[in-house]
PDB file of all heavy atoms in Angstrom:
ATOM      1  N   GLY V  50       0.637  -4.694  -2.195  1.00  0.00           N
ATOM      2  CA  GLY V  50       1.957  -5.320  -2.165  1.00  0.00           C
ATOM      3  C   GLY V  50       1.953  -6.602  -1.342  1.00  0.00           C
ATOM      4  O   GLY V  50       2.584  -7.596  -1.698  1.00  0.00           O
ATOM      5  N   GLY V 158       2.633   1.427  -4.292  1.00  0.00           N
ATOM      6  CA  GLY V 158       1.378   1.999  -3.796  1.00  0.00           C
ATOM      7  C   GLY V 158       1.612   2.865  -2.573  1.00  0.00           C
ATOM      8  O   GLY V 158       1.142   4.017  -2.500  1.00  0.00           O
ATOM      9  N   VAL V 159       2.354   2.338  -1.602  1.00  0.00           N
ATOM     10  CA  VAL V 159       2.656   3.112  -0.392  1.00  0.00           C
ATOM     11  C   VAL V 159       3.511   4.330  -0.757  1.00  0.00           C
ATOM     12  O   VAL V 159       3.299   5.437  -0.236  1.00  0.00           O
ATOM     13  CB  VAL V 159       3.381   2.225   0.653  1.00  0.00           C
ATOM     14  CG1 VAL V 159       3.893   3.062   1.820  1.00  0.00           C
ATOM     15  CG2 VAL V 159       2.449   1.116   1.162  1.00  0.00           C
ATOM     16  N   SER V 180      13.680   1.513  -9.041  1.00  0.00           N
ATOM     17  CA  SER V 180      14.644   0.710  -9.799  1.00  0.00           C
ATOM     18  C   SER V 180      14.765   1.157 -11.256  1.00  0.00           C
ATOM     19  O   SER V 180      15.465   0.514 -12.022  1.00  0.00           O
ATOM     20  CB  SER V 180      14.262  -0.770  -9.724  1.00  0.00           C
ATOM     21  OG  SER V 180      12.969  -0.969 -10.264  1.00  0.00           O
ATOM     22  N   TYR V 199      18.058   3.321  -7.306  1.00  0.00           N
ATOM     23  CA  TYR V 199      18.863   2.517  -6.370  1.00  0.00           C
ATOM     24  C   TYR V 199      19.449   1.264  -6.999  1.00  0.00           C
ATOM     25  O   TYR V 199      20.187   0.540  -6.352  1.00  0.00           O
ATOM     26  CB  TYR V 199      18.158   2.254  -5.045  1.00  0.00           C
ATOM     27  CG  TYR V 199      16.782   1.605  -4.998  1.00  0.00           C
ATOM     28  CD1 TYR V 199      16.176   1.006  -6.073  1.00  0.00           C
ATOM     29  CD2 TYR V 199      16.098   1.620  -3.778  1.00  0.00           C
ATOM     30  CE1 TYR V 199      14.918   0.435  -5.957  1.00  0.00           C
ATOM     31  CE2 TYR V 199      14.840   1.049  -3.644  1.00  0.00           C
ATOM     32  CZ  TYR V 199      14.258   0.462  -4.754  1.00  0.00           C
ATOM     33  OH  TYR V 199      13.022  -0.110  -4.623  1.00  0.00           O
ATOM     34  N   VAL V 245       8.124  -0.559   7.110  1.00  0.00           N
ATOM     35  CA  VAL V 245       6.718  -0.944   6.964  1.00  0.00           C
ATOM     36  C   VAL V 245       6.488  -2.111   6.018  1.00  0.00           C
ATOM     37  O   VAL V 245       5.354  -2.491   5.769  1.00  0.00           O
ATOM     38  CB  VAL V 245       5.899   0.303   6.552  1.00  0.00           C
ATOM     39  CG1 VAL V 245       6.170   0.684   5.107  1.00  0.00           C
ATOM     40  CG2 VAL V 245       4.431   0.160   6.833  1.00  0.00           C
ATOM     41  N   VAL V 270       6.104  -0.435  11.589  1.00  0.00           N
ATOM     42  CA  VAL V 270       4.727   0.081  11.472  1.00  0.00           C
ATOM     43  C   VAL V 270       3.847  -1.002  10.855  1.00  0.00           C
ATOM     44  O   VAL V 270       4.215  -1.572   9.824  1.00  0.00           O
ATOM     45  CB  VAL V 270       4.695   1.352  10.580  1.00  0.00           C
ATOM     46  CG1 VAL V 270       3.267   1.847  10.414  1.00  0.00           C
ATOM     47  CG2 VAL V 270       5.570   2.452  11.173  1.00  0.00           C
ATOM     48  N   LEU V 272      -0.169  -1.245   9.891  1.00  0.00           N
ATOM     49  CA  LEU V 272      -1.494  -0.604   9.871  1.00  0.00           C
ATOM     50  C   LEU V 272      -2.564  -1.543  10.412  1.00  0.00           C
ATOM     51  O   LEU V 272      -3.503  -1.117  11.087  1.00  0.00           O
ATOM     52  CB  LEU V 272      -1.854  -0.177   8.441  1.00  0.00           C
ATOM     53  CG  LEU V 272      -3.120   0.654   8.321  1.00  0.00           C
ATOM     54  CD1 LEU V 272      -2.882   2.083   8.783  1.00  0.00           C
ATOM     55  CD2 LEU V 272      -3.671   0.651   6.907  1.00  0.00           C
ATOM     56  N   ARG V 320       8.001  -5.237 -11.909  1.00  0.00           N
ATOM     57  CA  ARG V 320       8.463  -3.957 -11.373  1.00  0.00           C
ATOM     58  C   ARG V 320       8.378  -2.827 -12.406  1.00  0.00           C
ATOM     59  O   ARG V 320       9.230  -1.949 -12.451  1.00  0.00           O
ATOM     60  CB  ARG V 320       9.870  -4.097 -10.793  1.00  0.00           C
ATOM     61  CG  ARG V 320       9.892  -5.076  -9.640  1.00  0.00           C
ATOM     62  CD  ARG V 320      11.278  -5.447  -9.164  1.00  0.00           C
ATOM     63  NE  ARG V 320      11.957  -4.379  -8.465  1.00  0.00           N
ATOM     64  CZ  ARG V 320      13.103  -4.541  -7.822  1.00  0.00           C
ATOM     65  NH1 ARG V 320      13.663  -5.739  -7.783  1.00  0.00           N
ATOM     66  NH2 ARG V 320      13.673  -3.535  -7.209  1.00  0.00           N
ATOM     67  N   ARG V 325      -1.035   1.729  -8.522  1.00  0.00           N
ATOM     68  CA  ARG V 325      -1.809   0.501  -8.353  1.00  0.00           C
ATOM     69  C   ARG V 325      -2.187  -0.222  -9.631  1.00  0.00           C
ATOM     70  O   ARG V 325      -2.417   0.396 -10.667  1.00  0.00           O
ATOM     71  CB  ARG V 325      -3.121   0.845  -7.621  1.00  0.00           C
ATOM     72  CG  ARG V 325      -2.937   0.867  -6.137  1.00  0.00           C
ATOM     73  CD  ARG V 325      -2.751  -0.571  -5.642  1.00  0.00           C
ATOM     74  NE  ARG V 325      -2.286  -0.610  -4.283  1.00  0.00           N
ATOM     75  CZ  ARG V 325      -1.019  -0.851  -3.901  1.00  0.00           C
ATOM     76  NH1 ARG V 325      -0.088  -1.120  -4.767  1.00  0.00           N
ATOM     77  NH2 ARG V 325      -0.701  -0.859  -2.636  1.00  0.00           N
TER      78      ARG V 325
HETATM   79  N1  NAP I  19       2.998  -2.932   7.623  1.00  0.00           N
HETATM   80  C1  NAP I  19       1.915  -2.468   7.022  1.00  0.00           C
HETATM   81  O1  NAP I  19       0.966  -2.034   7.655  1.00  0.00           O
HETATM   82  C2  NAP I  19       1.892  -2.435   5.520  1.00  0.00           C
HETATM   83  C3  NAP I  19       0.882  -1.746   4.839  1.00  0.00           C
HETATM   84  C4  NAP I  19       0.950  -1.667   3.444  1.00  0.00           C
HETATM   85  C5  NAP I  19       1.981  -2.299   2.759  1.00  0.00           C
HETATM   86  N2  NAP I  19       2.910  -3.001   3.481  1.00  0.00           N
HETATM   87  C6  NAP I  19       4.036  -3.666   2.811  1.00  0.00           C
HETATM   88  O2  NAP I  19       4.777  -2.695   2.117  1.00  0.00           O
HETATM   89  C7  NAP I  19       5.368  -3.271   0.958  1.00  0.00           C
HETATM   90  C8  NAP I  19       4.989  -2.447  -0.246  1.00  0.00           C
HETATM   91  O3  NAP I  19       3.569  -2.469  -0.428  1.00  0.00           O
HETATM   92  P1  NAP I  19       2.956  -1.731  -1.693  1.00  0.00           P
HETATM   93  O4  NAP I  19       1.516  -1.991  -1.690  1.00  0.00           O
HETATM   94  O5  NAP I  19       3.419  -0.353  -1.732  1.00  0.00           O
HETATM   95  O6  NAP I  19       3.658  -2.581  -2.852  1.00  0.00           O
HETATM   96  P2  NAP I  19       3.649  -2.419  -4.433  1.00  0.00           P
HETATM   97  O7  NAP I  19       2.778  -1.291  -4.833  1.00  0.00           O
HETATM   98  O8  NAP I  19       3.390  -3.762  -5.004  1.00  0.00           O
HETATM   99  O9  NAP I  19       5.148  -1.991  -4.756  1.00  0.00           O
HETATM  100  C9  NAP I  19       6.228  -2.744  -4.300  1.00  0.00           C
HETATM  101  C10 NAP I  19       7.508  -2.037  -4.722  1.00  0.00           C
HETATM  102  O10 NAP I  19       8.596  -2.745  -4.184  1.00  0.00           O
HETATM  103  C11 NAP I  19       9.725  -2.543  -4.990  1.00  0.00           C
HETATM  104  N3  NAP I  19      10.528  -3.764  -4.977  1.00  0.00           N
HETATM  105  C12 NAP I  19      11.768  -3.866  -4.455  1.00  0.00           C
HETATM  106  N4  NAP I  19      12.235  -5.110  -4.586  1.00  0.00           N
HETATM  107  C13 NAP I  19      11.272  -5.826  -5.200  1.00  0.00           C
HETATM  108  C14 NAP I  19      11.179  -7.194  -5.600  1.00  0.00           C
HETATM  109  N5  NAP I  19      12.185  -8.065  -5.411  1.00  0.00           N
HETATM  110  N6  NAP I  19      10.044  -7.597  -6.220  1.00  0.00           N
HETATM  111  C15 NAP I  19       9.023  -6.752  -6.415  1.00  0.00           C
HETATM  112  N7  NAP I  19       9.055  -5.430  -6.041  1.00  0.00           N
HETATM  113  C16 NAP I  19      10.176  -4.985  -5.443  1.00  0.00           C
HETATM  114  C17 NAP I  19       9.214  -2.168  -6.384  1.00  0.00           C
HETATM  115  O11 NAP I  19       9.790  -0.921  -6.728  1.00  0.00           O
HETATM  116  P3  NAP I  19      11.196  -0.812  -7.499  1.00  0.00           P
HETATM  117  O12 NAP I  19      11.127  -1.744  -8.690  1.00  0.00           O
HETATM  118  O13 NAP I  19      11.264   0.611  -7.874  1.00  0.00           O
HETATM  119  O14 NAP I  19      12.220  -1.248  -6.510  1.00  0.00           O
HETATM  120  C18 NAP I  19       7.710  -1.964  -6.217  1.00  0.00           C
HETATM  121  O15 NAP I  19       7.289  -0.720  -6.708  1.00  0.00           O
HETATM  122  C19 NAP I  19       4.878  -4.718   0.923  1.00  0.00           C
HETATM  123  O16 NAP I  19       5.870  -5.518   1.539  1.00  0.00           O
HETATM  124  C20 NAP I  19       3.630  -4.688   1.789  1.00  0.00           C
HETATM  125  O17 NAP I  19       3.365  -5.933   2.390  1.00  0.00           O
HETATM  126  C21 NAP I  19       2.879  -3.079   4.836  1.00  0.00           C
END
Side-chain angles (χ1 to χ4, degrees):
V159 171
S180 60
Y199 55 12
V245 73
V270 178
L272 187 76
R320 298 170 71 171
R325 275 288 168 258

